[in-house]
Amino acid sequence: MKHFFLELIQGFYSKLFLFCICSLCIFTMGLSIIIGSIARDYEQEKYLRDYDFALTELHQSFAGKCENFTSLLSPLYHNYGMSETGYRVLSTFYKNGSLSYTQNQLLSSALQNILALDPDLVGILMYSAVNNTWHLYDPMYQNWEPLDYTLDYPDSLPFYTHILSDDTIRSITGGIPSITSPVFGLSGTIYEYSESSIHVLGRLVLLFNAAALDTYQTSYALEPDSYFLITGINGEVYYSSDRHAADVADLLPPTPEHTSRVIKNDASLKSWNETWYYNAVIYNGRHEFFVQYLTPRSGGNTNYTQRLIFLLALFLCFLSAGLYLLSFSMSARRVRVIKKGMDQIGNNNLTYRIRLPDKGNDEFIQIMSGFNMMCDKLQHNVEQSYISEIKQRRAELKALQTSINPHFLYNTLEMIRAQINQGENRNAAQMVLLLSKIYRSQLGRSTYVSLDNEIEQCENLIVLYQYRFGNFEYNFDIPFDFLGYGLPKNTLQPLIENYFVHGLDSAREDNYLELSAKWIDSDGKKLICLSLSNDGLPISEEAMNELKEKLSQPAFESTQMRGFALSNINDSIRLTFGSEYGLYPEADVDGASFSIKLIFPPVTPDELKEKHGQGSLDPPSRPEAPGN
């Protein structure tokens, strides 16, 4: 089946026809998506239009209550034919908790006038900050009923319209028998003004019938499972069309920061109680409340036209594809064979060859023959280049290591001879043992070792020198995570030997040598930096410049003998890791505290062996081509 579909796109005309079919299908599906989206948006907009109107009116009504709160208190500031205003009598009530008959009549008249200003007002709560008491004004009996509630407002609240939920009001009143419907409250601060200060007397809360807000939804054709909610920024429910506030925290939108504007969010899909709803929100920044609706997504059936258009477009695409499949059934075997050969060569299988037919010499056979000839030349060139490069690198590395080992052996034998001349035969025997351990490790065929193995050889070397010099201390500060990375064999040993030859001050007893490792960052790459530092004999500026010049040249091209071992190491690092890595000597201004840094990338020994082809240099023999 796979080959059959491949055969359908081999010929020029089949490709042209396929291009036309694909273009038609893409155009059809794209057009169906555009038209379907327009139809869906239109149906959704039509479905949600009444909800948006009801939501806007509900917000305007509730915001109007908050905006008109101060206007409702106007009867407290007018004189009704008596010597005292309602506000002054209210202040007396907040201070004393009781009034004279005349004052009581005056205040009752003012409160009755407040209740008459809005038909949705059902009661008034008064809190005295002076006495920490609550009273409920009963408009029927025109008297005040004390409430057993001690939780008060903070005295620092400004004169700001605070909204109270039905739960909060009923927790204060313990339930209002005369009011069965849910209510919400608007609260403001009552002050007493004097010439020098302003004092908070308490709070006055106007109670509104929340059920009156239902009238803004009954005039529209809304789904019975729709919900309208008015909530505070902390989840307080001021109004709920279904009289339930369960799980309202899941519906609380994020509060916009630092704004007093009215912000409306268009309808979007939201999951609530395992049902998907269209949800639109209006945020009132001045009074900090949300008004939102939720209507089931399935209620409007806004995707019917879109689905129908999409199904018709899909049917047209399948019909076009079916006609295309019926129109082309010829084989393209030879093209498939050529493509398979190209895939094999692309996967680095340079031994693959295409079997040529016994008869015929058409264009396909000529292409196959040319392809095989190209593969023969390509494989030959790759093999020759591979063998040449690997042999050259091995020869250079072996030459560098060979130039290091005799120099190290000469220095070590010289130290052993000195010990024997001094009669320290036991020390000489131990030094011979250490030397044998060092050279036993050299017998390994691997050109690359881990930093852990290299440090072990350095320890043996330093112990050798301890038998000759007793006036130095050393420290290896190599974190554990560096030990597994690799480098060429005999890299650190000549650096340490160089210190004892050129840097150790025999006249001092406090010579110090330190080998440390750390991570450095170079152009975004994480590199290893090994630093070998000492405080021995100073190095002159001329010698430092000579050493830097030596390290800038290949070891076998320089005629200078000073720094030959360091140059060998530098070349070894560059051959292994690249020309941007190597040794970097440093010294203080006076030449003391000499150090040399070795910088290279973090690569394991196995990765180095794989990269540089350690092992057999001969490529595998080429097998017979398939079918030959």
Side-chain angles (χ1 to χ4, degrees):
M1 183 62 67
K2 178 180 178 181
H3 298 311
F4 173 74
F5 284 107
L6 289 176
E7 292 170 357
L8 297 177
I9 58 174
Q10 302 304 311
F12 172 77
Y13 292 103
S14 63
K15 292 180 180 179
L16 181 61
F17 191 24
L18 178 62
F19 173 78
C20 295
I21 293 297
C22 292
S23 299
L24 177 62
C25 292
I26 293 174
F27 176 77
T28 302
M29 295 304 298
L31 190 62
S32 69
I33 292 174
I34 295 175
I35 297 176
S37 298
I38 295 175
R40 180 200 61 195
D41 293 341
Y42 173 76
E43 292 181 350
Q44 178 180 324
E45 181 181 355
K46 182 180 178 181
Y47 170 65
L48 298 177
R49 186 181 304 161
D50 289 344
Y51 288 90
D52 290 334
F53 288 155
L55 183 70
T56 301
E57 292 188 9
L58 181 61
H59 167 261
Q60 292 175 347
S61 175
F62 194 80
K65 301 288 186 185
C66 299
E67 296 292 340
N68 296 331
F69 175 71
T70 53
S71 300
L72 292 174
L73 301 182
S74 60
L76 294 175
Y77 301 91
H78 291 77
N79 194 325
Y80 291 91
M82 297 187 178
S83 59
E84 295 179 292
T85 64
Y87 183 78
R88 190 177 303 169
V89 174
L90 182 65
S91 301
T92 303
F93 179 79
Y94 272 80
K95 292 179 182 178
N96 302 331
S98 62
L99 297 171
S100 65
Y101 177 78
T102 302
Q103 292 173 329
N104 183 71
Q105 290 296 107
L106 178 61
L107 184 58
S108 295
S109 177
L111 297 180
Q112 285 294 123
N113 286 326
I114 292 175
L115 293 172
L117 292 176
D118 193 318
D120 297 334
L121 281 172
V122 295
I124 299 176
L125 282 175
M126 293 176 289
Y127 165 69
S128 173
V130 179
N131 302 317
N132 194 19
T133 58
W134 285 86
H135 287 80
L136 172 66
Y137 177 72
D138 190 343
M140 181 179 296
Y141 298 101
Q142 300 185 12
N143 61 1
W144 292 269
E145 178 184 352
L147 302 175
D148 185 16
Y149 189 78
T150 58
L151 181 62
D152 58 347
Y153 290 97
D155 292 341
S156 60
L157 287 176
F159 186 81
Y160 184 83
T161 305
H162 296 275
I163 310 174
L164 303 180
S165 65
D166 181 75
D167 292 340
T168 302
I169 293 172
R170 295 189 184 277
S171 66
I172 297 174
T173 62
I176 308 175
S178 60
I179 303 176
T180 57
S181 62
V183 296
F184 64 89
L186 298 181
S187 171
T189 308
I190 304 299
Y191 295 93
E192 181 182 44
Y193 299 90
S194 64
E195 295 181 355
S196 59
S197 62
I198 300 175
H199 300 285
V200 177
L201 293 177
R203 307 286 291 180
L204 187 141
V205 184
L206 300 183
L207 304 181
F208 293 85
N209 183 7
L213 299 174
D214 292 340
T215 58
Y216 296 99
Q217 304 156 48
T218 56
S219 57
Y220 297 98
L222 306 180
E223 294 290 334
D225 294 334
S226 301
Y227 303 97
F228 283 81
L229 289 172
I230 302 178
T231 57
I233 59 176
N234 295 319
E236 311 93 338
V237 178
Y238 303 138
Y239 169 76
S240 175
S241 61
D242 67 341
R243 308 296 185 261
H244 297 289
D247 300 329
V248 72
D250 298 337
L251 299 174
L252 199 63
T255 304
E257 297 182 358
H258 309 299
T259 180
S260 60
R261 299 183 297 107
V262 175
I263 301 175
K264 181 177 180 181
N265 296 329
D266 295 332
S268 61
L269 287 175
K270 186 171 187 176
S271 177
W272 183 54
N273 290 342
E274 300 182 354
T275 303
W276 285 98
Y277 293 89
Y278 288 110
N279 173 233
V281 182
I282 297 178
Y283 172 70
N284 190 303
R286 177 177 175 83
H287 300 289
E288 296 183 336
F289 67 85
F290 294 97
V291 183
Q292 58 181 312
Y293 69 74
L294 292 100
T295 180
R297 180 177 62 175
S298 58
N301 195 18
T302 58
N303 295 325
Y304 173 77
T305 304
Q306 183 184 29
R307 292 171 183 169
L308 179 60
I309 295 174
F310 180 78
L311 289 176
L312 290 175
L314 196 63
F315 172 76
L316 180 60
C317 291
F318 276 113
L319 179 62
S320 301
L323 292 175
Y324 174 71
L325 293 176
L326 291 175
S327 302
F328 293 93
S329 59
M330 298 181 62
S331 173
R333 176 176 174 273
R334 292 183 177 180
V335 176
R336 187 168 67 249
V337 169
I338 295 175
K339 187 178 184 302
K340 180 181 178 182
M342 296 175 63
D343 292 338
Q344 291 291 331
I345 298 300
N347 293 328
N348 295 325
N349 183 9
L350 300 182
T351 62
Y352 184 84
R353 299 295 180 271
I354 299 176
R355 178 192 297 176
L356 299 178
D358 297 332
K359 297 180 180 180
N361 190 28
D362 56 23
E363 294 85 351
F364 289 105
I365 296 178
Q366 294 177 12
I367 293 174
M368 294 177 186
S369 178
F371 178 83
N372 288 343
M373 293 176 60
M374 178 194 69
C375 292
D376 290 337
K377 294 180 180 179
L378 177 63
Q379 184 177 12
H380 177 75
N381 293 337
V382 169
E383 291 176 354
Q384 293 300 317
S385 176
Y386 172 81
I387 294 174
S388 176
E389 181 179 356
I390 294 302
K391 284 184 177 181
Q392 180 180 357
R393 286 185 172 269
R394 278 205 185 172
E396 291 175 352
L397 286 177
K398 289 296 183 181
L400 290 174
Q401 292 181 348
T402 302
S403 65
I404 293 175
N405 289 338
H407 187 253
F408 164 70
L409 180 61
Y410 168 77
N411 290 337
T412 306
L413 292 177
E414 182 63 24
M415 287 191 295
I416 295 174
R417 185 185 68 83
Q419 292 292 323
I420 296 175
N421 289 340
Q422 295 173 9
E424 299 291 343
N425 295 333
R426 177 170 296 183
N427 290 346
Q430 291 295 327
M431 293 174 68
V432 171
L433 179 60
L434 291 172
L435 182 63
S436 67
K437 289 183 178 180
I438 292 174
Y439 271 89
R440 185 182 300 115
S441 68
Q442 302 298 327
L443 295 178
R445 299 181 60 186
S446 177
T447 309
Y448 310 100
V449 297
S450 66
L451 184 57
D452 188 19
N453 293 335
E454 190 72 4
I455 291 175
E456 181 181 353
Q457 297 304 313
C458 292
E459 289 273 9
N460 293 333
L461 177 62
I462 289 179
V463 174
L464 277 175
Y465 277 104
Q466 280 182 331
Y467 283 102
R468 180 176 178 183
F469 309 103
N471 59 344
F472 71 90
E473 294 183 358
Y474 71 96
N475 177 46
F476 285 179
D477 184 14
I478 309 295
F480 180 77
D481 55 342
F482 288 90
L483 298 180
Y485 293 112
L487 69 172
K489 187 166 57 179
N490 292 340
T491 297
L492 298 180
Q493 175 182 312
L495 296 179
I496 294 178
E497 183 183 359
N498 186 72
Y499 162 69
F500 288 104
V501 175
H502 301 289
L504 186 68
D505 190 350
S506 59
R508 292 172 49 185
E509 295 295 331
D510 59 346
N511 289 281
Y512 182 71
L513 176 68
E514 182 178 42
L515 177 64
S516 61
K518 66 178 181 179
W519 292 108
I520 62 173
D521 184 81
S522 176
D523 296 331
K525 293 190 294 186
K526 193 176 182 181
L527 304 178
I528 298 174
C529 177
L530 294 179
S531 179
L532 185 68
S533 57
N534 65 82
D535 59 353
L537 294 173
I539 183 171
S540 64
E541 183 178 356
E542 179 182 357
M544 175 61 78
N545 293 333
E546 180 183 341
L547 178 59
K548 290 181 177 180
E549 182 181 358
K550 176 71 177 178
L551 293 178
S552 66
Q553 303 174 1
F556 298 109
E557 294 182 7
S558 175
T559 58
Q560 303 174 16
M561 293 306 298
R562 185 179 182 89
F564 182 75
L566 299 184
S567 183
N568 280 348
I569 298 172
N570 192 49
D571 285 355
S572 177
I573 293 297
R574 291 180 176 179
L575 284 172
T576 302
F577 298 106
S579 58
E580 65 269 29
Y581 308 106
L583 298 179
Y584 302 91
E586 296 178 356
D588 291 346
V589 178
D590 56 358
S593 299
F594 177 81
S595 66
I596 187 162
K597 299 183 184 302
L598 193 158
I599 299 176
F600 59 98
V603 184
T604 64
D606 291 338
E607 291 173 339
L608 288 175
K609 295 174 186 177
E610 181 179 355
K611 175 182 177 182
H612 296 286
Q614 184 166 324
S616 176
L617 292 176
D618 298 327
S621 59
R622 185 173 68 192
E624 290 292 328
N628 289 346

